[in-house]
Amino acid sequence: MTLRNGREFLAIPGPTNVPDAVLNAMHRPAVEIYTGPLVETTRSCLEDLKRLFGTRTGRSYIYAANGHGAWEAALTNVLSRGDKVLVLGSGRFPVLWGEMAAFVGVEVEELHFGFRHGVDPAAVETRLKADRAGTIKAVLMVQVDTASSVANDVAAVGRAIAAAGHGALLMVDAIASLATMPFEMDAWGIDVAVTGSQKGLMTPPGLGFVAAGPRALQAHRSAGLRTAYWDWTKREGPLHYEKYCGTPPEHLLFGLRQAIDMLFEEGLPAVFERHRLLAEATRRAVAVWSEGDALAFNVVEPAARSNSVTTVRVEGFDPQVLRDYCNNTCGVMLGEGIGELSGKGIRIAHMGHVNAPMMLGTLGVIEMALGALGIAHGKGGVQAAVDFLAEAVPAPSAAPRIDAELRDAMGA
Ligand SMILES: *Cc1c(COP(=O)(O)O)cnc(C)c1O
């Protein structure tokens, strides 16, 4: 028996659901790359990316690349072989970024925070104060670690660096967080920020974005790791195609333009609030299921649980069986545990183009699977999610009055 023949729900933390409007925006003939409307699309996307990153003083760059490409662009534009960076190792992705830095010849030191806790800004301040000679050139961190689902306080790390009186650049991976929660590059003291198209930005994979602030642009001048493709200076050339070091990824840009329009139309504060509400609904459900002792939140401190994805640890059963039931029987694709939780967890994404029925449907299917598979769990997780949303999102009070006015107007 299968109940999967309907619209599939993709609940993995990237790539995320691409809105039909974005797909439709891409469905058009290729265009000329030196002049014409694409030049304006590039200009407006670069400008709007700065707004999304929260920078007025910085510059933005678009790469035909995934997030790993944006990582490499960030590293090679500001660092030299033998430079030292401090990786704030909370979860999996900052460690991977550090491994890439080591690969290109940078010395890497990790401040280890484990897989279940966020970055402790006080530890960063202490480490930087001890670096009297200023050998640490940059601090690398991730805002939301998509493996552990921890959300770090980037602003607090920016303050810690300032409090230490240290000159290290602050480089932040916002790949799983931009357009899901606030990000304020200038206000938080961030020098380099990176993201990708396929998470909060609701666009197919294939675009990497980097924003560089004044201190990063200064460091860029003497960076020894620069290569032709990633180089910021080369991308400042007068010809449009130089912005991409070759043929622009036109159709992805058409899609991105539409996605950014949708985000601004909804309004960023509303986008962030939608993510917070759907994430909290998910957490209410997981909290109830966890009463059965087979499931538990990965992130220990509630305040450090992200609004993009929720990682759930499982005990006493193979999470693949749960994922298979959700996918094969119900058409809901959940994320698998990765890193330390490979084979030991699931990830429920609530990032990008998601709404209440998609999340309630996903949660309903998980609870159904827990029941069908006989996995111990507290019952009523979906009810808890529904109750939370019903209280947090009241009906517009104006509605009944308008109905009454309408009835009057119709002489009823
Ligand atoms: C997805 C992700 C990446 C990697 O992005 P790719 O596009 O797969 O290269 C890096 N960091 C974080 C936090 C991510 O969520």
Side-chain angles (χ1 to χ4, degrees):
M1 181 60 214
T2 174
L3 298 175
R4 81 182 314 283
N5 295 328
R7 189 182 265 279
E8 281 187 12
F9 280 13
L10 186 66
I12 64 171
T16 62
N17 295 284
V18 180
D20 290 348
V22 171
L23 292 173
N24 290 339
M26 297 172 64
H27 194 136
R28 54 179 281 194
V31 298
E32 210 268 317
I33 62 173
Y34 299 99
T35 55
L38 193 62
V39 176
E40 170 55 19
T41 301
T42 295
R43 192 204 60 76
S44 70
C45 285
L46 285 170
E47 205 50 41
D48 289 344
L49 283 164
K50 286 172 56 177
R51 187 170 151 198
L52 287 165
F53 278 119
T55 183
R56 286 174 187 279
T57 56
R59 300 200 53 88
S60 56
Y61 302 91
I62 302 174
Y63 295 93
N66 57 17
H68 282 70
W71 273 355
E72 186 157 323
L75 296 170
T76 57
N77 270 292
V78 297
L79 296 171
S80 300
R81 181 170 281 275
D83 277 355
K84 180 171 178 171
V85 297
L86 184 67
V87 168
L88 307 188
S90 154
R92 182 86 186 117
F93 284 90
V95 177
L96 294 173
W97 196 9
E99 283 173 9
M100 179 185 269
F103 189 96
V104 298
V106 169
E107 191 191 328
V108 176
E109 176 181 326
E110 186 192 340
L111 268 188
H112 190 69
F113 300 99
F115 206 77
R116 306 193 68 179
H117 300 276
V119 167
D120 174 10
V124 179
E125 184 177 336
T126 304
R127 178 63 192 93
L128 291 179
K129 273 185 174 155
D131 181 37
R132 293 232 171 72
T135 55
I136 295 170
K137 292 287 179 269
V139 172
L140 271 52
M141 73 177 295
V142 168
Q143 188 177 29
V144 168
D145 178 64
T146 329
S148 65
S149 77
V150 88
N152 289 304
D153 187 344
V154 178
V157 172
R159 287 194 298 271
I161 295 173
H166 198 285
L169 298 174
L170 176 55
M171 300 174 61
V172 183
D173 170 341
I175 297 176
S177 52
L178 203 76
T180 76
M181 65 184 288
F183 190 90
E184 294 293 340
M185 186 160 165
D186 292 351
W188 297 350
I190 299 165
D191 299 296
V192 182
V194 304
T195 198
S197 52
Q198 80 277 22
K199 307 225 174 143
L201 293 179
M202 313 187 294
T203 303
L207 295 178
F209 310 109
V210 179
R215 294 177 69 238
L217 293 167
Q218 181 66 35
H220 169 71
R221 293 192 194 169
S222 57
L225 285 173
R226 290 165 58 172
T227 60
Y229 182 74
W230 303 117
D231 197 73
W232 291 339
T233 301
K234 275 182 66 80
R235 284 171 183 251
E236 301 284 4
L239 299 177
H240 176 249
Y241 80 88
E242 288 176 291
K243 296 258 176 298
Y244 301 94
C245 194
T247 305
E250 301 189 329
H251 291 81
L252 288 171
L253 295 168
F254 299 146
L256 176 70
R257 185 60 268 161
Q258 176 64 32
I260 294 177
D261 287 346
M262 290 171 72
L263 290 170
F264 287 167
E265 195 177 317
E266 184 177 355
L268 289 182
V271 171
F272 301 155
E273 181 64 358
R274 174 167 54 82
H275 280 84
R276 187 188 71 79
L277 291 169
L278 296 175
E280 184 58 26
T282 304
R283 291 188 286 261
R284 296 292 170 108
V286 172
V288 171
W289 298 334
S290 300
E291 291 162 9
D293 290 339
L295 305 172
F297 285 107
N298 178 57
V299 177
V300 176
E301 297 90 6
R305 294 175 186 153
S306 84
N307 288 342
S308 339
V309 55
T310 298
T311 301
V312 181
R313 306 174 80 93
V314 312
E315 192 67 51
F317 72 97
D318 179 0
Q320 190 57 37
V321 175
L322 178 71
R323 292 183 64 239
D324 283 347
Y325 184 94
C326 291
N327 184 30
N328 300 339
T329 306
C330 300
V332 171
M333 178 59 92
L334 299 175
E336 61 186 325
I338 59 171
E340 194 175 291
L341 281 188
S342 177
K344 294 177 199 154
I346 59 165
R347 292 180 298 159
I348 309 166
H350 26 77
M351 171 171 28
H353 191 59
V354 281
N355 60 18
M358 291 160 81
M359 281 326 297
L360 291 173
T362 297
L363 297 173
V365 161
I366 296 171
E367 191 154 342
M368 172 183 165
L370 292 170
L373 295 167
I375 296 165
H377 66 286
K379 292 207 190 308
V382 175
Q383 188 63 51
V386 168
D387 290 347
F388 165 72
L389 289 176
E391 183 158 334
V393 188
S397 57
R401 190 167 49 82
I402 289 167
D403 282 348
E405 278 168 11
L406 246 176
R407 270 200 309 279
D408 286 350
M410 290 168 72

